[in-house]
Amino acid sequence: MLQFNFDNSYLTLAPKLFEKVLPTAVYAPRLVIFNKALAAELGLNSDVAEEMIAELLSGNKILQGSQPIAQAYGGHQFGHFNMLGDGRAILLGEHLTAQNRRFDIQLKGPGATPYSRNGDGRATLSSMLREYIISEAIHALQIPSTRSLAVVATGEEVHREYTHEGGVLTRIAASHIRVGTFEFVRRFNDLETFKTFVDYTIQRHYPEVMNTENPALALFTAVMEKQITLIVNWMRVGFIHGVMNTDNMSICGETIDYGPCAFMNAYHPETVFSSIDKGGRYAFGNQAQIAKWNLTRFVETLLVLIHPESDKAIEMAQEVLQTFNPKFEAQWLRMMRNKLGLMHEEEGDEQLIHSLLLWMQDHGADYTNTFLALIYPEFLKEALYQNDAFKAWQQEWLKRMEIENNLASIELMRQSNPVVIPRNHRVEEALQASAHDGDLAPMNNLLAAIAQPYQKNSEFSQFQNPPADGGKNYKTYCGT
Ligand code: AMP
Ligand code: MG
């Protein structure tokens, strides 16, 4: 039997913070993929008949100890506040591992909830497999992320622009507490409820701030630092989240809500794939400033706890917020130095980094493979890198490398630069085969390739290249 060790602490919070709701049964659940490695990490027995897993992780049968709820939250979507909530997700409960680690077990796409508004509460099989692939890739890239335990096909139709088969994803998260949850609790609940919720979040994610002089301010500082690290990591691997609304920003610093996200091929800071992001608000190079904007919305909710006088509270919050840019820039610079193997810090480094980025931008060079060209001769062979401007840059870099320990530098570069990312065209190929043609082989190959993204493996070389046309016209969609 698939048995979680449920301990559902969220239900101890005020009733307005969630609604009890059961998944809506589906016609013919069929297990498409199950993450055995993750099941083992969670201490689950996965030696269970596929039919049973499909029944349980579609929501057709309720797991023992589960107390399903949909969580309430709000959020600034493209700058405007809306009341949202789990419209197509149901939290089955919190699983405690043997090591006492707490994880939310959530179904995504299990049918309507009180927060569904006009939506059907469903998701397409293809979009849930997409989240599975990309979240597992982000995790393998050693970037904090929600995880994917399973995807079950529903045997039912979901109507979008076209008709698709439905799918239910089992998502695992340290929690689903979002900036948008804080916004909802602060705006629509009394102060006592908000205080209890803040304490709950601190105990769950940042127990170390509990005994500080000003826990609310310390919480904000800690969340800000987690977000900075997260965004720097996204920048390192060329990840574009695509819809960094405040409801899609997790307080614990995990990448969450894989919707119109994608990986950049050719480097350009203005790269956007999301079909609805017309103004480029969530473009690759804007992600840090958007995180700061979201954090400002977050700290606004906390002002009342930071200081009883609002002017003073604002001043104290601003003092912390003002450290965002310098902290981000310092971490970003360290990360870029790592990508170039520069362990020491020299004055001209920033210039060296920016001139490489500018060269990539001018020549449509692939972000991932350009760094690999500095490590692996086979990438360097490409015609693009025979370009004079690149060669001149490379000479400068080699000169700068003279003060570094070569072996250690190369090792640092290998750890900082992925060889395999889930390239958009490969992801699409895998989804076409798995969700539409019933052929799981391309998806399993892709998952095997992205499982060890920093290792060069000739078996997976077909996953290293960008599409022939550069993939510039690739588009992604929200909420499919
Ligand atoms: P997202 O773009 O996935 O972050 O979703 C934004 C909001 O829309 C969240 O409150 C979702 O729960 C809700 N939502 C998205 N798709 C659906 C759907 N098919 N049915 C109901 N609610 C949905
Ligand atoms: Mg969302």
Side-chain angles (χ1 to χ4, degrees):
M1 194 59 181
L2 193 62
Q3 183 65 62
F4 291 86
N5 179 30
F6 282 122
D7 177 75
N8 307 321
S9 65
Y10 210 80
L11 279 90
T12 65
L13 294 169
K16 266 178 81 178
L17 272 57
F18 56 87
E19 294 275 357
K20 291 186 178 167
V21 57
L22 291 174
T24 308
V26 299
Y27 175 66
R30 176 178 92 251
L31 186 65
V32 177
I33 188 161
F34 185 76
N35 192 336
K36 284 203 163 166
L38 176 56
E41 276 178 51
L42 293 170
L44 304 174
N45 166 24
S46 55
D47 195 13
V48 180
E50 287 198 2
E51 294 73 18
M52 180 53 79
I53 298 180
E55 288 285 332
L56 292 166
L57 299 185
S58 60
N60 275 19
K61 279 204 167 77
I62 297 303
L63 285 152
Q64 203 185 340
S66 164
Q67 294 170 289
I69 57 170
Q71 290 175 312
Y73 54 86
H76 278 82
Q77 299 180 298
F78 289 89
H80 305 283
F81 184 79
N82 291 308
M83 176 59 207
L84 302 164
D86 287 333
R88 58 155 173 179
I90 292 178
L91 180 65
L92 296 179
E94 298 152 35
H95 169 68
L96 273 186
T97 68
Q99 297 75 36
N100 223 27
R101 293 182 66 199
R102 182 177 295 274
F103 291 98
D104 274 8
I105 312 297
Q106 192 201 61
L107 298 184
K108 195 164 170 185
T113 77
Y115 308 109
S116 296
R117 292 169 290 169
N118 297 320
D120 57 5
R122 292 292 181 198
T124 65
L125 174 59
S126 175
S127 65
M128 293 303 95
L129 289 172
R130 191 170 191 279
E131 170 154 350
Y132 186 109
I133 294 167
I134 302 188
S135 64
E136 286 305 299
I138 289 284
H139 171 75
L141 286 160
Q142 288 154 29
I143 301 175
S145 177
T146 62
R147 305 284 308 274
S148 296
L149 181 65
V151 176
V152 177
T154 63
E156 289 180 0
E157 288 181 346
V158 170
H159 302 286
R160 298 289 181 262
E161 197 180 345
Y162 301 96
T163 297
H164 302 259
E165 182 170 13
V168 178
L169 171 80
T170 304
R171 175 158 79 177
I172 311 296
S175 86
H176 287 83
I177 300 172
R178 308 147 188 272
V179 168
T181 320
F182 274 74
E183 292 177 281
F184 160 77
V185 182
R186 178 72 188 95
R187 280 174 190 239
F188 303 131
N189 294 271
D190 57 52
L191 195 56
E192 272 317 299
T193 301
F194 182 64
K195 279 185 185 160
T196 307
F197 171 72
V198 173
D199 286 346
Y200 173 87
T201 306
I202 288 177
Q203 272 184 25
R204 187 158 171 183
H205 293 303
Y206 299 94
E208 67 279 8
V209 312
M210 216 164 353
N211 296 320
T212 58
E213 198 183 318
N214 192 327
L217 196 62
L219 170 68
F220 174 58
T221 310
V223 171
M224 185 177 89
E225 272 160 15
K226 281 261 163 70
Q227 286 300 328
I228 289 174
T229 305
L230 182 66
I231 309 292
V232 167
N233 267 306
W234 291 354
M235 306 297 283
R236 178 169 62 81
V237 301
F239 179 74
I240 305 169
H241 182 283
V243 63
M244 287 175 68
N245 295 329
T246 57
D247 52 302
N248 294 336
M249 186 187 262
S250 163
I251 293 299
C252 67
E254 290 180 341
T255 310
I256 193 171
D257 276 6
Y258 292 84
C261 59
F263 281 80
M264 178 169 66
N265 290 307
Y267 173 78
H268 200 298
E270 290 166 17
T271 306
V272 169
F273 292 110
S274 169
S275 59
I276 60 166
D277 190 7
K278 303 282 185 227
R281 180 181 170 91
Y282 300 134
F284 178 72
N286 272 3
Q287 298 187 109
Q289 286 317 303
I290 287 294
K292 185 179 172 189
W293 193 91
N294 291 347
L295 286 162
T296 310
R297 303 290 81 75
F298 176 51
V299 79
E300 281 166 3
T301 72
L302 293 170
L303 289 175
V304 63
L305 304 183
I306 289 175
H307 199 279
E309 290 163 39
S310 81
D311 286 354
K312 184 70 188 152
I314 291 172
E315 195 186 309
M316 290 163 81
Q318 265 169 352
E319 212 170 285
V320 177
L321 257 180
Q322 273 161 10
T323 65
F324 181 98
N325 284 358
K327 280 184 179 166
F328 176 82
E329 277 153 28
Q331 276 199 43
W332 181 86
L333 192 57
R334 181 69 261 161
M335 174 276 285
M336 291 303 285
R337 278 196 174 101
N338 292 353
K339 281 175 84 71
L340 291 176
L342 309 177
M343 291 184 156
H344 296 90
E345 299 186 357
E346 292 290 312
E347 211 154 276
D349 291 350
E350 214 169 331
Q351 173 64 30
L352 190 70
I353 290 162
H354 282 292
S355 59
L356 178 64
L357 290 174
L358 205 58
W359 177 84
M360 283 189 225
Q361 184 173 328
D362 288 347
H363 292 79
D366 187 78
Y367 184 63
T368 300
N369 290 359
T370 299
F371 290 99
L372 297 178
L374 305 174
I375 313 176
Y376 303 103
E378 68 171 88
F379 285 90
L380 193 59
K381 270 194 244 142
E382 262 185 57
L384 181 64
Y385 305 115
Q386 314 317 315
N387 163 294
D388 285 344
F390 180 79
K391 289 206 155 164
W393 180 88
Q394 194 191 11
Q395 283 313 311
E396 254 188 77
W397 173 68
L398 286 170
K399 210 163 77 205
R400 168 65 182 78
M401 281 288 271
E402 282 168 13
I403 64 160
E404 302 289 340
N405 170 335
N406 215 277
L407 278 182
S409 278
I410 292 288
E411 189 45 42
L412 179 62
M413 291 172 79
R414 287 193 174 143
Q415 287 167 11
S416 309
N417 295 299
V419 181
V420 184
I421 53 168
R423 301 231 181 225
N424 306 322
H425 64 302
R426 293 294 182 192
V427 173
E428 292 306 316
E429 249 171 44
L431 293 178
Q432 179 63 36
S434 56
H436 301 284
D437 307 334
D439 173 12
L440 299 181
M443 181 172 70
N444 287 328
N445 281 341
L446 176 61
L447 287 169
I450 60 181
Q452 291 183 314
Y454 299 104
Q455 267 174 37
K456 204 162 134 17
N457 184 339
S458 55
E459 201 188 320
F460 298 130
S461 58
Q462 83 263 30
F463 293 105
Q464 290 168 189
N465 294 324
D469 68 353
K472 283 204 178 63
N473 298 321
Y474 184 67
K475 282 265 165 290
T476 55
Y477 301 89
C478 285
T480 45

